[in-house]
Amino acid sequence: MRLRPFRSVALFAVAMLAACAPVASPPPVVPAGGPAESEITASAIATHVKFLSHDLLEGRAPATRGGELATEYLATQLALAGFAPAGDGGTYFQQVPIVESVVDRGFTLAVPGRTYKYGDDVVAFSGVEDARVAVRGEVVFVGHGIVAPEQQWNDYAGVDVKGKWVLIMVNDPPAPADEPTLFGGKALTYYGRWTYKFEEAARQGAAGALLIHTDESATYPWQVVQSSWTGTQYSLPPAPGAPALGVKAWIANAAAVDLAKRGGQDLDALRAAASKRGFAAVPLTVTATAALTQTTARKTSPNVVGVLKGTNAGEAVAITAHWDHFGTRAPAPGEAADVDRINNGAYDNASGCAAALTMAQALARAGQAPGRSIYVVFTTAEEAGLLGAEYFATHPPQPMDGFAANINVDGANYLGRTKDIVMLGADRSSLGPMLATLAGERGRVVGEDTHPERGYFFRSDHFPLAKAGVPALSLSEPKQFEGPNAAVLLAKQEAYNGKDYHQPSDEFDPSWDFSGAADDAKLLTQLAWRVAAAPAMPSYNDGDQFAQVRKR
Ligand SMILES: [Zn+2]
């Protein structure tokens, strides 16, 4: 694994702290007047998890009775803790509109001489809510489809794609030997994610976008694209006047090769050129036509939002945790009546909500107001694509520029105490050194993201806030369990990921040990308090992709 430049600096700082730490763990340093950390206990966390993952909540799907029960519980707990409502109209609920859409399998994408087959060659959905969408235009190959000023990279330079199709490669351009940190080296940057590709294509005014799927670039086979992008899709309604793509599609590699050939080009040659600096987009001499029919429905589901007003209420810190999960699946034909079909989501993410509730309680019992205000936000529709967090970031209760930090909890450790705390994003902003200092004070260390190439930073609710320029951290899985059972516990963690993740078996177990989660929650509560009190706002490191937002 190649280290990012700022990561290596952060690791060096952590290594220094670890080297200076005495052999025995020092007692926690808890400054007077800070959050009431004694409110955060393993049993309090377990108690909330037990309720939130109860079968009666039916898997907490958005816009269901079980989901509503979960949000009522969270709002009630915030009220009891002493957080003020910060949702719509003096309530704790910020209603998020969600578009459900199903594309008809009769979708067609055609060029002269060939119609690509829906399912086998192409899958598609739309960025607009119209029942019928037609896109007809020239196809332009735009390489990786990236506009990254801080990398001096622009795949759209000198080409006008308004009203046209763009044909795009996924992932980041590879880092050459003479520029080893280009696009994060081996780490995936947001420019490499498929969601970015569609967003940029829309900003450029394209009418339709075709993402080229290869097994290697996606790291999963075409069947996964097929199953993920057919059936019901969820999205936020496009903001009025915001650019939106009529057709967002994935195209299988063989079909993309054929399309380029009909446009007078060799796709492999185009791809090779697009992987080097100085690439210019190539218009293909072919016009493509697509017709898409869809049924859409609007639903609403709330984010639960509470605030602890600070003495500097013009600025804020946000603690986030998603409350939603996958609900109860329909019975399969011939399935026995007693098969468990409830996706309880005990770890994902009743545990994160539970930890955040105890953090809220500790903050509210500090005995004094925080510096900046502190929001606790339980987001909806994370599992459907971070929709609640995206809505919060675009409809914040106060301007996003005044948000000093976001701390996200998506899964709290149920396997006991650990030496390390792992926070995605610690290498990106000045929150990383603050976190390292706090961990050091508590005889702990900041662990690293062991899979930066998987882009986990882009996959939970802190990410829409990061995109809005807010320095963000998200709690991830620890690796250094304490005690003689450390190896067994690590194996248990891996077994969960293989067997229980997003399954009905993610259920509350009375033997779960949230003492490590309590340690993490105490540390993060103190971090929130310190960020709220710090004279200056935290900031992204120079050169980080998200530093651009507040510079603009
Ligand atoms: Zn989750």
Side-chain angles (χ1 to χ4, degrees), residues 322 348-349 382-383 410:
H322 75 89
D348 184 11
N349 185 33
E382 188 270 354
E383 307 285 11
D410 192 352

Side-chain angles (χ1 to χ4, degrees), residues 322 324-325 347-349 382-383 409-411 459-461 501-502:
H322 75 89
D324 67 298
H325 201 54
Y347 172 70
D348 184 11
N349 185 33
E382 188 270 354
E383 307 285 11
V409 188
D410 192 352
R459 298 186 184 192
S460 188
D461 282 332
Y501 176 69
H502 288 185

Side-chain angles (χ1 to χ4, degrees), residues 144 153 172-176 179 182-183 185 274-276:
H144 292 86
W153 191 286
D172 295 319
E179 228 183 328
L182 182 68
F183 289 104
S275 297
K276 298 199 181 93

Side-chain angles (χ1 to χ4, degrees), residues 107-120:
F107 172 85
T108 56
L109 175 70
V111 294
R114 169 106 190 242
T115 297
Y116 300 104
K117 198 164 181 292
Y118 180 79
D120 290 347

Side-chain angles (χ1 to χ4, degrees), residues 25 30 45 79 107 111 245 256 261 281 329 336 354 360 378 386 516:
S25 296
V30 184
I45 294 173
F107 172 85
V111 294
L245 293 168
K261 200 168 159 207
R329 84 171 156 74
F378 297 104
L386 319 182

Side-chain angles (χ1 to χ4, degrees), residues 173-235:
D178 59 343
E179 228 183 328
T181 60
L182 182 68
F183 289 104
K186 279 197 180 139
L188 183 70
T189 76
Y190 185 54
Y191 297 116
R193 290 276 290 165
W194 58 268
T195 45
Y196 167 82
K197 313 287 182 178
F198 285 138
E199 288 165 4
E200 190 59 50
R203 278 193 287 270
Q204 297 290 333
L210 302 163
L211 298 189
I212 305 165
H213 174 271
T214 66
D215 289 358
E216 314 81 70
S217 61
T219 68
Y220 43 76
W222 176 251
Q223 285 76 7
V224 174
V225 177
Q226 272 179 320
S227 59
S228 311
W229 296 116
T230 53
T232 309
Q233 304 293 323
Y234 302 89
S235 58

Side-chain angles (χ1 to χ4, degrees), residues 22-104:
V23 179
S25 296
V29 179
V30 184
E37 291 191 19
S38 60
E39 299 288 333
I40 301 173
T41 64
S43 71
I45 294 173
T47 305
H48 289 307
V49 174
K50 190 177 174 194
F51 180 84
L52 285 166
S53 62
H54 199 284
D55 277 359
L56 287 170
L57 273 62
E58 300 167 344
R60 303 188 308 276
T64 64
R65 183 175 184 276
E68 230 174 282
L69 285 168
T71 58
E72 286 293 343
Y73 179 81
L74 294 166
T76 302
Q77 295 296 327
L78 281 181
L80 288 171
F83 270 56
D88 304 334
T91 73
Y92 288 94
F93 304 111
Q94 179 186 40
Q95 296 296 342
V96 179
I98 297 171
V99 180
E100 282 187 10
S101 60
V102 182
V103 170
D104 190 274

